[in-house]
């Protein structure tokens, strides 16, 4: 665990994230929970602790600064779609206590894991929800300021399925691997229902792979 702690702390420094010791402990405890539950519920295909640190924890932590640059320090509601084992939702909830995070998944055992993680890690700003994102509606339920997803679906499907959950002035945050040129072209061909206002490259410490965030909002594309 000391090696994992060192890797995490070095990664936080590289990402220019200042977390207190309690937050660092919670991140490591969350990884322990993920490993424990993964033996029974198959939450992730990644099982090696060192690989889990880079591919899951640090990969998710890489979105924190870009997210805060978009929303500031104000309290917001964030929906993590197809969250699975809680990536990046649980990590965001730990690193940003001012953000109210709901992790939604169609698989009941995965939503139950999020609820367990919220209780065990004492995160009042985290909840798991067993539902299809298409059934969530900002008019009858919570209106989310940010709807995010990590390797969930195509940009077109993601924005279509989750549109009704977005609140007024809300935005989408899609975590992708390499720059999704084909998906962006398909989205553009739909007639401007989504404004892709920023594609932001990410550098994940210890991970030699392309990563980016596609930032979007409803409406016609911005005029450059």
């Amino acid at each position: 665990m000391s090696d994992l702690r060192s890797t995490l702390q070095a990664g936080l420094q590289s990402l220019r994230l200042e977390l207190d010791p309690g937050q660092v402990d919670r991140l490591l405890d969350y990884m322990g929970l993920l490993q424990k539950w993964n033996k029974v519920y198959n939450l992730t295909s990644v099982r090696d602790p060192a690989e889990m640190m880079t591919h899951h924890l640090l990969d998710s932590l890489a979105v924190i600064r870009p997210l805060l640059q978009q929303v500031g320090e104000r309290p917001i509601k964030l929906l993590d779609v197809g969250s699975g084992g809680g990536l990046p939702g649980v990590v965001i909830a730990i690193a940003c206590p001012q953000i109210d995070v709901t992790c939604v998944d169609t698989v009941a055992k995965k939503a139950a894991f999020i609820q367990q993680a919220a209780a065990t890690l004492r995160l009042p700003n985290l909840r798991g929800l067993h539902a299809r994102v298409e059934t969530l509606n900002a008019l009858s339920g919570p209106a989310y300021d940010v709807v995010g997803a990590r390797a969930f679906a195509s940009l077109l499907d993601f924005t279509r399925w989750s549109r009704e959950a977005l609140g007024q002035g809300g935005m989408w945050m899609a975590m992708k691997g390499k720059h999704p040129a084909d998906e962006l072209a398909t989205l553009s061909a739909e007639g401007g229902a989504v404004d892709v206002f920023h594609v932001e490259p990410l550098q994940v410490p210890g991970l030699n792979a392309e990563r980016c965030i596609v930032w979007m909002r409803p409406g016609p594309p911005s005029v450059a």
Side-chain angles (χ1 to χ4, degrees):
M1 183 63 84
S2 62
D3 288 345
L4 293 175
R5 183 180 292 272
S6 297
T7 302
L8 175 56
Q9 290 175 326
L12 290 169
Q13 187 172 13
S14 177
L15 293 168
R16 293 181 294 151
L17 291 175
E18 295 183 11
L19 301 188
D20 65 38
Q23 289 171 304
V24 172
D25 287 344
R26 278 193 175 98
L27 286 170
L28 292 169
D29 288 346
Y30 164 59
M31 203 173 102
L33 276 178
L34 197 57
Q35 289 173 294
K36 179 181 176 181
W37 279 58
N38 203 38
K39 295 174 183 176
V40 179
Y41 288 130
N42 195 28
L43 298 169
T44 169
S45 60
V46 177
R47 299 184 183 276
D48 175 67
E51 192 177 353
M52 195 175 277
M53 174 60 70
T54 54
H55 286 65
H56 285 339
L57 249 68
L58 293 176
D59 189 65
S60 295
L61 284 164
V63 310
I64 299 298
R65 280 181 64 89
L67 174 60
L68 293 178
Q69 284 169 357
Q70 292 293 337
V71 303
E73 295 291 340
R74 63 191 173 94
I76 65 162
K77 291 184 182 297
L78 182 144
L79 180 69
D80 182 15
V81 179
S83 186
L87 299 155
V90 175
V91 173
I92 293 172
I94 292 171
C96 306
Q98 77 278 14
I99 297 181
D100 188 69
V101 179
T102 298
C103 296
V104 62
D105 204 284
T106 58
V107 180
K109 64 186 179 184
K110 293 180 178 179
F113 169 71
I114 301 301
Q115 289 290 82
Q116 182 63 47
T120 303
L121 302 173
R122 295 184 176 88
L123 294 170
N125 60 325
L126 174 68
R127 66 187 288 252
L129 178 63
H130 175 218
R132 298 188 69 84
V133 67
E134 302 96 307
T135 66
L136 305 183
N137 192 306
L139 296 177
S140 57
Y144 295 97
D145 304 287
V146 177
V147 175
R150 177 177 181 260
F152 168 66
S154 71
L155 295 175
L156 180 61
D157 287 342
F158 170 50
T159 52
R160 274 181 173 171
W161 294 340
S162 62
R163 178 180 290 270
E164 297 304 317
L166 266 184
Q168 185 72 28
M171 68 183 80
W172 286 290
M173 178 185 76
M175 296 175 65
K176 292 287 183 179
K178 65 176 184 174
H179 188 284
D182 291 345
E183 290 184 38
L184 289 167
T186 302
L187 198 61
S188 177
E190 285 299 299
V194 174
D195 173 23
V196 179
F197 64 90
H198 188 32
V199 179
E200 185 166 5
L202 297 178
Q203 187 66 48
V204 179
L207 188 61
N208 185 25
E210 291 183 69
R211 292 287 188 271
C212 70
I213 301 174
V214 182
W215 294 100
M216 302 166 286
R217 57 192 163 214
S222 303
V223 177

